[in-house]
Amino acid sequence: MKTRITELFGIQHPIIQGGMHFVGFAELAAAVSNAGGLGIITGLTQRTPELLANEIRRCHEMTAKPFGVNLTFLPTVTSPDYPGYIKAILDGGIKVVETAGNNPQKWLPALHEAGVKVIHKCTSVRHSLKAQAIGCDAVSVDGFECGGHPGEDDVPNFILLPRAAEELQIPFVASGGMADGRSLVAALALGAEGMNMGTRFIATKEAPVHENVKQAIVAASELDTRLVMRSLRNTERVLNNGAVERLIEKEKSLGAALKFEDIIEEVAGVYPRIMKEGDMDAGAWSCGMVAGLIKDVPSVKELVDRIMAEAEAIIGQRLARFANA
Ligand SMILES: Cc1cc2nc3c(=O)[nH]c(=O)nc-3n(C[C@H](O)[C@H](O)[C@H](O)COP(=O)(O)O)c2cc1C
């Protein structure tokens, strides 16, 4: 299947694995790229640029196909060593960077000069247009359904994607709620050139996370996620658990007076305990509503092949029937 996204990134299938904290290690990125999609290493999960350089080297050893690195620009006071991370990306021969969070404008000249394509993750048409205006090559349009940070506008993909298609000239992928061939065909129908998946890729054999995380996703329904940190304008969609219920109680009782420090126990530094140790009540961790569509833990290749076969069957059989009727 050729789309503007497969052409832009030099990949076989229009499927991207979004950056995920403590999930997007070389093992998963390489598996997705080897399966014909675009795997992405999560930059900030590596504590230093040197560690990122090492992770990129490990990934090159596992795949000869293109893969990317996610750089999330956090609204924190003490900023990570972004120039160091950019240098590791360029020295590592990376050709695709997925940016997210704050505006990536400052870093675009260095990346573009080195021939790197930049796909920026946006949760609104407004931000997508900004990404286009500053010179990003593509956008990942993240709807309200998504795991992680859906922004503050709460527009689901059935509206957000066609709105993006109406306004954007650069290609975009649909992100949030994507799981299977039906998702891919729907994304294409709504104007996207492919799809980005987070939660679905966690429940795969190669995802280097504790088995408890995969089973929690398989067991969860579409009703089991919660939005937290809205009052801090840092809304995150997470899987419900004891820590999340505690966090929500604090949000209710403190209201507008809530500060980050009040919930630090539930949100800070919890990812290694969840993803590595499988301590599922350690805190709040990102998960999409799409968990309701995830029923198994296939290999990445089985998943990608199944998605492509299903998408082609839907287009060639089910949809073709309606067109000829
Ligand atoms: C566990 C987890 C961690 C994530 N960490 C990041 C991150 O560090 N940076 C980022 O840009 N997006 C992150 N995301 C968002 C994903 O890249 C992707 O946009 C999102 O998962 C898409 O929605 P879906 O889960 O419905 O597929 C994370 C998502 C999950 C589920």
Side-chain angles (χ1 to χ4, degrees), residues 3-318:
T3 74
R4 289 167 73 198
I5 285 292
T6 61
E7 301 285 291
L8 183 68
F9 297 140
I11 52 178
Q12 194 187 348
H13 305 306
I15 300 175
I16 300 178
Q17 165 248 315
M20 286 180 281
H21 201 35
F22 278 89
V23 182
F25 293 98
E27 285 76 9
L28 181 60
V32 174
S33 290
N34 282 332
L38 183 74
I40 293 188
I41 292 174
T42 316
L44 295 190
T45 299
Q46 304 299 324
R47 271 180 296 104
T48 65
E50 292 69 33
L51 289 171
L52 176 59
N54 189 51
E55 197 67 11
I56 291 171
R57 260 194 306 278
R58 288 203 317 117
C59 201
H60 278 305
E61 280 164 18
M62 289 183 248
T63 183
K65 303 257 183 81
F67 61 90
V69 171
N70 168 283
L71 262 190
T72 302
F73 298 109
L74 303 166
T76 47
V77 189
T78 46
S79 169
D81 178 10
Y82 288 116
Y85 283 107
I86 298 271
K87 184 168 184 310
I89 286 168
L90 299 181
D91 291 350
I94 294 296
K95 293 294 173 214
V96 183
V97 168
E98 177 196 55
T99 52
N102 286 353
N103 185 327
Q105 185 164 19
K106 185 171 161 192
W107 313 103
L108 291 181
L111 292 169
H112 278 153
E113 222 162 88
V116 176
K117 304 286 183 212
V118 176
I119 178 163
H120 188 54
K121 196 181 288 169
C122 300
T123 56
S124 69
V125 175
R126 188 168 80 252
H127 292 140
S128 303
L129 283 172
K130 183 74 189 174
Q132 174 174 279
I134 63 173
C136 291
D137 302 281
V139 179
S140 198
V141 176
D142 227 10
F144 183 51
E145 308 86 333
C146 74
H149 294 272
E152 313 303 328
D153 290 349
D154 302 355
V155 182
N157 268 334
F158 241 91
I159 309 296
L160 189 58
L161 297 172
R163 281 289 299 120
E166 283 173 5
E167 305 253 358
L168 284 176
Q169 272 87 52
I170 56 173
F172 66 95
V173 294
S175 179
M178 305 287 134
D180 50 33
R182 297 171 300 183
S183 321
L184 178 56
V185 175
L188 296 171
L190 295 174
E193 302 274 334
M195 67 178 179
N196 179 68
M197 300 194 298
T199 305
R200 174 64 270 196
F201 275 124
I202 305 178
T204 58
K205 290 205 172 88
E206 291 91 339
V209 301
H210 197 283
E211 189 59 28
N212 290 355
V213 181
K214 303 180 189 186
Q215 291 310 323
I217 291 173
V218 170
S221 87
E222 64 276 20
L223 303 176
D224 291 330
T225 70
R226 298 290 181 270
L227 294 176
V228 295
M229 294 192 284
R230 169 125 287 174
S231 66
L232 300 175
R233 292 193 64 77
N234 186 29
T235 300
E236 183 179 0
R237 185 179 295 284
V238 299
L239 192 68
N240 195 20
N241 61 24
V244 168
E245 280 175 4
R246 239 177 15 247
L247 197 169
I248 290 172
E249 275 312 308
K250 288 184 193 179
E251 289 184 325
K252 275 191 195 141
S253 63
L254 292 169
L258 182 92
K259 289 193 287 303
F260 185 72
E261 298 77 63
D262 298 318
I263 54 168
I264 208 152
E265 200 187 316
E266 285 81 23
V267 297
V270 298
Y271 270 78
R273 284 165 60 202
I274 292 158
M275 297 298 175
K276 285 189 175 159
E277 293 160 32
D279 177 0
M280 298 315 295
D281 282 320
W285 61 281
S286 296
C287 178
M289 290 175 126
V290 73
L293 295 176
I294 299 172
K295 313 239 162 43
D296 60 357
V297 183
S299 73
V300 167
K301 184 164 166 38
E302 281 163 359
L303 176 66
V304 170
D305 286 349
R306 186 167 83 194
I307 290 171
M308 293 314 298
E310 195 188 354
E312 276 156 26
I314 292 171
I315 296 168
Q317 295 163 29
R318 183 175 160 78

